[in-house]
Amino acid sequence: MDRLGSFSNDPSDKPPCRGCSSYLMEPYIKCAECGPPPFFLCLQCFTRGFEYKKHQSDHTYEIMTSDFPVLDPSWTAQEEMALLEAVMDCGFGNWQDVANQMCTKTKEECEKHYMKHFINNPLFASTLLNLKQAEEAKTADTAIPFQSTDDPPRPTFDSLLSRDMAGYMPARADFIEEFDNYAEWDLRDIDFVEDDSDILHALKMAVVDIYHSRLKERQRRKKIIRDHGLINLRKFQLEFELRREIKRLQEYRTAGITNFCSARTYDHLKKTREEERLKRTMLSEVLQYIQDSSACQQWLRRQADIDSGLSPSVPMASNSGRRSAPPLNLTGLPGTEKLNEKEKELCQMVRLVPGAYLEYKSALLNECNKQGGLRLAQARALIKIDVNKTRKIYDFLIREGYITKA
């Protein structure tokens, strides 16, 4: 059995265990007969005799550890890495804090060793800058990029930005709700006392080991998010823009457009069609005023003034002092056949033509599916009609189970 150096002192930088996929903690096992790629096991999986495909439990193996000297016979590789990490955490020159963090060396030993082997050593003089530049390049595309002197973004709970970032809090490098968020609950009632039986003590230790495994899995998932930049807002925004542009080009291709000159003409005609569709929708809504001829004439004159660029000369009639409008007659209106009885009753009472109701319903259902729920304020932002009508449509869809509240 050989004793070899490990990859790093950081568990997240080591390859995962092939048995349980957890981060490897020194010492761990490397199969001498399997690979490439190398086959690593944690001590727990090794003691259980884990076998996978060609790997057998009777294969020869190597113990991976950093308990060997590198630069100085009295300093192990583990202590070398611990010294570098302590200097990074505490800052150069704070040797007492560095020694306190290391625990195995004094203040004078830390300072002397660091100055001799990492500052005045010609081997490292030319490589430290390259290592620093490589590290900066590696972290250039991290989850939420900001300089150490900057104030990281702090989105409020349940805000749109917070939802876009999946609840990630850059200032803490944590999530509002972590993976396996209630893993700690299993430990809240555990108390180690001297009169515990061997079986009870072993059971409690097993619970602690399980909890430790769950924490390692949580850390593994966060590392994946960090390494792949899954919370990188600039990357997501760019992806959104690319997807929108691809969708636009696909629309051109479907319409038989092959050059940008034709695309501009197509966009102009499409915009014109949209404006005409909106006018038709407005005209459909006017149908509800047909039974009141004076109100209809006032509305038409007002729209004529608006279209000509003048200030409306006829104010819209106020509802104060007027009788409630009778239910809308849906006979012959397009889309009535697509409504059930309750929806017909809603359109009659709200005085909303079926075609407009079906459009509003589709928009609210799509937004609810995207967000996992819908608030009244979001519904009012989606459909630009009278707020009271929006409230009635929203309440109806909630009551009938079409959408859910956020």
Side-chain angles (χ1 to χ4, degrees):
M1 296 182 294
D2 297 328
R3 299 170 69 83
L4 300 177
S6 65
F7 289 80
S8 168
N9 194 37
D10 185 357
S12 62
D13 291 336
K14 298 183 177 68
C17 171
R18 296 295 294 273
C20 60
S21 299
S22 63
Y23 289 127
L24 293 170
M25 302 292 293
E26 292 186 6
Y28 56 95
I29 305 301
K30 174 185 177 183
C31 179
E33 301 181 23
C34 296
F39 193 94
F40 297 108
L41 289 175
C42 65
L43 294 183
Q44 289 83 357
C45 293
F46 176 73
T47 55
R48 291 202 306 267
F50 176 80
E51 295 181 344
Y52 180 73
K53 293 185 177 179
K54 295 182 179 181
H55 175 73
Q56 301 297 320
S57 58
D58 59 353
H59 282 182
T60 56
Y61 60 91
E62 302 168 352
I63 299 177
M64 307 297 288
T65 180
S66 51
D67 187 18
F68 58 91
V70 179
L71 302 174
D72 190 310
S74 61
W75 283 69
T76 65
Q78 181 100 26
E79 290 174 326
E80 298 283 2
M81 292 184 291
L83 173 63
L84 295 177
E85 290 180 358
V87 172
M88 292 178 61
D89 294 341
C90 304
F92 177 77
N94 299 318
W95 302 115
Q96 186 59 59
D97 294 337
V98 170
N100 292 340
Q101 181 167 323
M102 286 196 59
C103 300
T104 59
K105 300 294 182 181
T106 65
K107 167 186 174 182
E108 291 75 15
E109 289 173 331
C110 291
E111 180 179 5
K112 180 180 178 181
H113 185 83
Y114 190 85
M115 296 300 296
K116 176 181 178 181
H117 295 284
F118 295 101
I119 299 298
N120 300 323
N121 189 340
L123 175 64
F124 291 101
S126 61
T127 58
L128 286 177
L129 180 60
N130 293 336
L131 290 174
K132 182 177 183 298
Q133 293 174 345
E135 182 65 22
E136 290 177 351
K138 178 181 177 182
T139 59
D141 193 29
T142 52
I144 298 295
F146 62 90
Q147 301 297 325
S148 58
T149 56
D150 293 342
D151 187 25
R154 290 178 170 84
T156 58
F157 175 71
D158 201 30
S159 64
L160 180 60
L161 178 59
S162 177
R163 291 196 297 271
D164 289 343
M165 296 166 59
Y168 182 70
M169 299 177 290
R172 292 175 48 185
D174 275 331
F175 289 86
I176 294 176
E177 184 170 345
E178 296 282 0
F179 169 75
D180 201 358
N181 199 47
Y182 300 101
E184 290 77 9
W185 282 25
D186 293 337
L187 297 179
R188 57 183 176 176
D189 297 326
I190 291 183
D191 186 19
F192 290 89
V193 295
E194 295 182 358
D195 57 351
D196 280 345
S197 65
D198 293 341
I199 295 179
L200 182 57
H201 181 80
L203 179 61
K204 292 181 178 179
M205 289 301 299
V207 173
V208 174
D209 288 341
I210 293 173
Y211 169 69
H212 187 221
S213 299
R214 295 165 75 178
L215 288 185
K216 289 194 289 186
E217 175 62 17
R218 181 186 296 175
Q219 183 66 22
R220 185 185 71 86
R221 291 175 178 245
K222 292 172 72 172
K223 182 176 184 296
I224 292 175
I225 292 175
R226 181 190 66 198
D227 292 347
H228 294 275
L230 300 182
I231 308 295
N232 191 324
L233 295 183
R234 291 185 299 183
K235 178 180 178 181
F236 282 170
Q237 290 168 355
L238 177 60
E239 180 181 352
F240 174 76
E241 294 294 335
L242 290 175
R243 287 181 180 275
R244 186 171 62 180
E245 186 66 16
I246 291 173
K247 184 177 180 181
R248 188 168 69 93
L249 294 176
Q250 289 174 338
E251 181 182 354
Y252 291 157
R253 178 62 62 85
T254 303
I257 296 173
T258 57
N259 56 70
F260 286 107
C261 181
S262 300
R264 286 192 293 269
T265 304
Y266 173 82
D267 289 337
H268 175 73
L269 294 176
K270 180 181 178 182
K271 182 179 179 181
T272 303
R273 289 195 300 269
E274 289 293 329
E275 292 175 351
E276 292 176 353
R277 187 186 65 81
L278 289 176
K279 289 181 179 179
R280 288 196 300 270
T281 302
M282 293 174 61
L283 186 60
S284 297
E285 292 180 352
V286 172
L287 292 175
Q288 60 184 314
Y289 295 104
I290 292 299
Q291 295 181 0
D292 188 340
S293 59
S294 61
C296 180
Q297 292 297 325
Q298 289 181 4
W299 189 92
L300 291 174
R301 286 196 294 270
R302 180 181 176 86
Q303 293 302 316
D305 290 341
I306 293 175
D307 292 341
S308 62
L310 302 175
S311 299
S313 58
V314 181
M316 293 298 291
S318 172
N319 290 331
S320 57
R322 294 180 56 184
R323 295 180 302 171
S324 298
L328 178 65
N329 184 5
L330 302 182
T331 305
L333 293 182
T336 304
E337 69 281 358
K338 299 179 181 179
L339 306 180
N340 59 36
E341 293 302 321
K342 291 185 179 180
E343 289 176 321
K344 291 179 182 178
E345 182 180 353
L346 172 69
C347 290
Q348 289 174 338
M349 300 307 298
V350 180
R351 300 186 60 80
L352 189 66
V353 295
Y357 164 76
L358 291 172
E359 287 187 11
Y360 300 152
K361 175 184 175 182
S362 177
L364 295 178
L365 287 177
N366 290 336
E367 187 67 17
C368 180
N369 292 333
K370 291 179 182 178
Q371 302 292 341
L374 195 66
R375 298 195 302 270
L376 178 59
Q378 293 174 305
R380 286 174 173 168
L382 285 173
I383 53 178
K384 304 295 185 179
I385 59 175
D386 180 73
V387 293
N388 295 320
K389 290 186 178 182
T390 304
R391 178 61 182 254
K392 292 178 181 179
I393 296 173
Y394 175 81
D395 291 342
F396 173 80
L397 296 178
I398 290 288
R399 185 169 58 252
E400 296 300 317
Y402 290 108
I403 62 176
T404 57
K405 287 186 178 181

